[in-house]
Amino acid sequence: ANAYQLFTKERRQSLTTEQPDLKFGEAAKIISAEWKALTDDERRPYQEMAQKAKENAQATQDAGVDSGGAGSAADSADSKPVVDKKVEVNILAEGADGTSE
């Protein structure tokens, strides 16, 4: 996550508590304006959290831990989906109403 995403997540929680009837788009506009108004010093904690998250993700990847996300073993070119051919044939043999032709 980048600094803006971290700020948005944090701010959206407090904003929806303050104004529970606020629509998503309206909240996004308010949060965006608040982010733009922040000074570099006010943004720094979010930038530091984002950097730490990036470093943790890289360390996890370097350690070979599979989080199941993009690039995991399930996504590799070597893994092939398992298809039950009997089920596939039965589905193809059935008509639109589920009866055999």
Side-chain angles (χ1 to χ4, degrees):
N2 66 34
Y4 177 72
Q5 290 169 326
L6 295 172
F7 173 78
T8 299
K9 181 180 178 183
E10 181 181 286
R11 185 61 182 116
R12 185 175 307 280
Q13 290 173 349
S14 60
L15 191 59
T16 54
T17 300
E18 295 165 10
Q19 301 179 44
D21 295 333
L22 193 63
K23 293 186 170 139
F24 185 86
E26 294 168 343
K29 288 178 185 178
I30 292 169
I31 293 167
S32 175
E34 289 177 348
W35 176 257
K36 289 177 184 177
L38 292 180
T39 65
D40 288 341
D41 287 341
E42 292 170 323
R43 289 182 183 194
R44 188 165 292 114
Y46 300 100
Q47 293 165 339
E48 290 171 357
M49 286 188 290
Q51 183 61 36
K52 286 179 186 175
K54 181 179 177 181
E55 290 167 1
N56 288 341
Q58 185 63 46
T60 300
Q61 185 178 10
D62 291 347
V65 176
D66 183 9
S67 63
S72 68
D75 293 335
S76 72
D78 295 336
S79 74
K80 298 189 188 321
V82 177
V83 177
D84 185 342
K85 291 185 180 185
K86 292 179 188 175
V87 172
E88 186 176 335
V89 170
N90 288 338
I91 291 170
L92 294 175
E94 291 178 0
D97 61 357
T99 60
S100 297
E101 293 182 22

